[in-house]
Amino acid sequence: MENIYSIMNVILPFEWLEMSFMKNALLAVIVACPLFGILGTSVVSNKMSFFSDAIGHSALTGIAIGVLIGIREPVISMILFALILGFIIITVKVKGKSSADTVIGVFSSTSVALGIVLLSAGGNFSKYQKYLIGDILSIKPYEILMLLGAFLVLALIWIFFYNKMLITNLHSTYAKSRRIKTFLIEQIFALLTALIVSVSIRWTGLLVINSLLVLPAAASRMISRSTRQYTGFSILISLVSGIAGLIISYYAGAASGATIVLVNALIFALCFLVSILKRK
């Protein structure tokens, strides 16, 4: 990492980047924001923002289970629980008769309650409250590598399954007529969302992770005229918000994840105004 730090010192000689933890935070933003921008387009298009929120809130239960079975690193138990929960939610949604929001609501509320009960009963709840708001400034190099690994997984899935995911999203019946295995495609989307959310949650915070996914894509959708623009603008908005929010949080002494969300919200408002002006 020292070589990377040296390059950053030359290219970006700014006061706010003097400390190593700020360099790590910026690298994490540069890797994670395209993740949120790309995945968010599918979350918004599939009307599954509530799903990503449910996965984020399940982090408490994943942590609690890890504590109970003696896993030292809670990220491992969070990822495993998120993957299992994502699989179950999509299976019940597809195989059952209840609406998607009802199924997600049931599992979301249950997982949150279970996590709070398990952690509070063991006297560990206050220890893990940091996951509620996140802390990007404490991110370690190996966690940046985890984000990079998640990005590579997302890129591969996007290359091989994007068209099928798009068709399934637009019209599942038509997708089935084209012999697309819609259940498999939905599971891939669910597991991918669960992986990225659980890997990112430590520095974003479970209270704002859903906003980081939804806001860039929602803003991009209002000003885009094609699928390519939709994805491109979403990535750009996410990156700009991430970097700007990190810098503002440094000088304001505020929580980075929440500050990034506020910048995202401001850009969303600007895109909304642009969309209205275009209509007139």
Side-chain angles (χ1 to χ4, degrees):
M1 292 296 292
E2 293 301 324
N3 292 332
I4 297 176
Y5 293 160
S6 299
I7 294 172
M8 293 177 73
N9 286 332
V10 174
I11 299 176
L12 303 168
F14 303 120
E15 175 194 347
W16 60 275
L17 268 181
E18 290 179 356
M19 299 296 184
S20 295
F21 65 84
M22 287 301 296
K23 292 182 177 68
N24 289 336
L26 178 60
L27 290 172
V29 165
I30 292 173
V31 174
C33 285
L35 270 174
F36 297 147
I38 295 172
L39 184 62
T41 57
S42 286
V43 169
V44 171
S45 297
N46 285 327
K47 299 179 181 179
M48 291 289 282
S49 58
F50 195 20
F51 172 79
S52 58
D53 193 44
I55 294 298
H57 285 86
S58 73
L60 286 176
T61 306
I63 293 170
I65 293 174
V67 170
L68 288 176
I69 62 180
I71 296 179
R72 292 184 178 180
E73 180 52 66
V75 173
I76 297 174
S77 56
M78 275 196 299
I79 292 174
L80 291 176
F81 183 76
L83 292 173
I84 293 171
L85 182 66
F87 178 83
I88 293 174
I89 288 176
I90 295 301
T91 300
V92 174
K93 180 179 82 73
V94 173
K95 304 296 183 181
K97 296 181 179 179
S98 299
S99 62
D101 59 340
T102 300
V103 173
I104 295 170
V106 168
F107 283 98
S108 176
S109 57
T110 302
S111 63
V112 171
L114 179 60
I116 293 174
V117 167
L118 291 177
L119 287 176
S120 59
N124 293 313
F125 187 75
S126 60
K127 180 180 177 181
Y128 297 100
Q129 283 183 338
K130 60 183 179 182
Y131 287 94
L132 295 176
I133 59 174
D135 184 12
I136 191 175
L137 301 184
S138 66
I139 196 165
K140 302 294 189 297
Y142 79 90
E143 292 175 313
I144 298 174
L145 290 176
M146 289 178 64
L147 288 172
L148 184 59
F151 180 80
L152 293 175
V153 171
L154 174 64
L156 288 173
I157 290 177
W158 229 246
I159 291 171
F160 291 105
F161 293 101
Y162 177 75
N163 289 335
K164 292 181 179 179
M165 291 174 67
L166 181 62
I167 295 173
T168 301
N169 166 47
L170 293 174
H171 203 295
S172 60
T173 303
Y174 174 74
K176 290 177 182 178
S177 70
R178 303 294 298 175
R179 297 183 180 179
I180 294 175
K181 297 179 180 179
T182 56
F183 178 71
L184 175 63
I185 296 300
E186 288 196 55
Q187 287 291 4
I188 290 173
F189 166 74
L191 296 178
L192 181 63
T193 303
L195 173 65
I196 292 175
V197 168
S198 54
V199 167
S200 307
I201 202 119
R202 186 178 182 277
W203 68 267
T204 59
L206 63 88
L207 295 178
V208 299
I209 180 66
N210 193 51
S211 301
L212 293 172
L213 280 170
V214 172
L215 282 172
S220 175
R221 195 171 191 177
M222 290 187 290
I223 60 174
S224 302
R225 296 182 178 180
S226 66
T227 302
R228 183 172 297 179
Q229 285 186 357
Y230 181 30
T231 303
F233 282 139
S234 181
I235 294 172
L236 179 62
I237 291 170
S238 185
L239 270 173
V240 171
S241 300
I243 295 173
L246 179 64
I247 297 172
I248 293 171
S249 68
Y250 171 80
Y251 287 106
S256 302
T259 306
I260 293 172
V261 169
L262 289 178
V263 177
N264 265 310
L266 177 61
I267 294 177
F268 175 86
L270 292 175
C271 290
F272 177 71
L273 292 175
V274 170
S275 66
I276 292 178
L277 293 174
K278 280 185 176 181
R279 292 173 189 172
K280 293 182 178 180

